[in-house]
């Protein structure tokens, strides 16, 4: 005899209702000044190395302008490291989400909170189809807002353009060296 609970659970799993789950590690602070220490950032990086693809969250009750340049720079460095791909996988190493009092005290939605905050926040609040429930999208947006980074897609495109330019320059240099060697060999 099959229990109804077991049947319901099986149908949820069989109907592909369980979504991809992100592993999240975070560091949370209240209103203190300079509370995100280099060792906090280092500890989260160590966790990301141990659990590739995990999302790293920095949450503070402070407003964005209350974060120190030292805190932001250490988080920015980690965020750039986290944007790289995991070897053999098609996901970023460790997306970094930064949450401030704006997001943590949001009444109804992040969109509404960002619209109310104004400025650059309002641009994201007005954006249609911005799926902030996706932690990787939330990481991208908060890195732009608080860390001064370009969007992930712009950063990624610039990275590949730089790699292709370096490869072309290397190939051009090798071609020129081969041509010089051929000319020197032919003039003997």
């Amino acid at each position: 005899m099959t229990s109804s609970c077991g049947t319901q659970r099986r149908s949820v799993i069989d109907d592909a209702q369980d979504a991809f789950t992100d592993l999240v590690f975070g560091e949370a602070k209240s209103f203190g000044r300079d509370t995100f220490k280099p060792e906090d950032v280092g500890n989260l990086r160590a966790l990301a190395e141990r659990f590739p693809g995990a999302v790293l969250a920095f949450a503070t009750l402070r407003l964005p302008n209350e974060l120190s340049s030292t805190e932001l720079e250490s988080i920015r460095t980690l965020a750039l490291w986290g944007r790289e791909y995991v070897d053999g996988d098609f996901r970023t190493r460790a997306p970094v989400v930064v949450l401030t009092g704006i997001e943590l005290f949001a009444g109804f939605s992040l969109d509404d909170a960002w619209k109310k905050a104004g400025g650059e926040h309002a641009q994201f609040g007005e954006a249609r189809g911005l799926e902030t429930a996706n932690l990787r999208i939330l990481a991208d947006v908060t890195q732009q807002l608080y860390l001064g980074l370009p969007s992930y897609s712009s950063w990624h495109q610039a990275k590949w353009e730089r790699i292709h330019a370096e490869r072309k320059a290397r190939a051009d240099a090798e071609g020129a060296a081969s041509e010089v060697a051929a000319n020197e060999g032919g003039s003997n």
Side-chain angles (χ1 to χ4, degrees), residues 38-186:
E39 55 269 17
D40 297 329
V41 175
N43 289 340
L44 284 181
R45 179 175 172 150
L47 284 166
E49 289 171 348
R50 179 81 191 251
F51 300 96
V55 176
L56 305 178
F58 290 86
T60 179
L61 298 176
R62 292 179 285 160
L63 294 175
N65 63 344
E66 296 172 330
L67 292 166
S68 73
S69 59
T70 303
E71 289 174 297
L72 293 173
E73 185 55 39
S74 62
I75 296 169
R76 183 181 301 111
T77 300
L78 179 64
L80 286 169
W81 174 83
R83 284 183 166 196
E84 297 292 338
Y85 277 105
V86 174
D87 287 338
D89 202 349
F90 292 103
R91 61 186 172 149
T92 53
R93 185 184 289 151
V96 172
V97 175
V98 180
L99 302 173
T100 68
I102 292 172
E103 292 80 21
L104 297 175
F105 293 122
F108 177 69
S109 71
L110 290 181
D111 294 344
D112 290 342
W114 287 339
K115 287 176 196 175
K116 184 178 177 184
E120 191 177 7
H121 286 83
Q123 294 173 3
F124 287 107
E126 299 290 339
R128 297 281 180 229
L130 189 62
E131 291 292 328
T132 55
N134 179 323
L135 293 177
R136 293 169 190 282
I137 291 172
L138 184 60
D140 186 11
V141 170
T142 61
Q143 287 176 23
Q144 291 175 65
L145 286 170
Y146 303 124
L147 304 179
L149 295 177
S151 70
Y152 178 78
S153 60
S154 296
W155 171 85
H156 195 257
Q157 180 177 349
K159 173 187 165 187
W160 283 107
E161 287 172 357
R162 189 174 54 252
I163 289 170
H164 289 299
E166 290 170 1
R167 287 178 182 168
K168 184 179 180 336
R170 197 174 321 120
D172 290 349
E174 289 172 0
S178 296
E179 189 174 312
V180 168
N183 288 339
E184 288 177 358

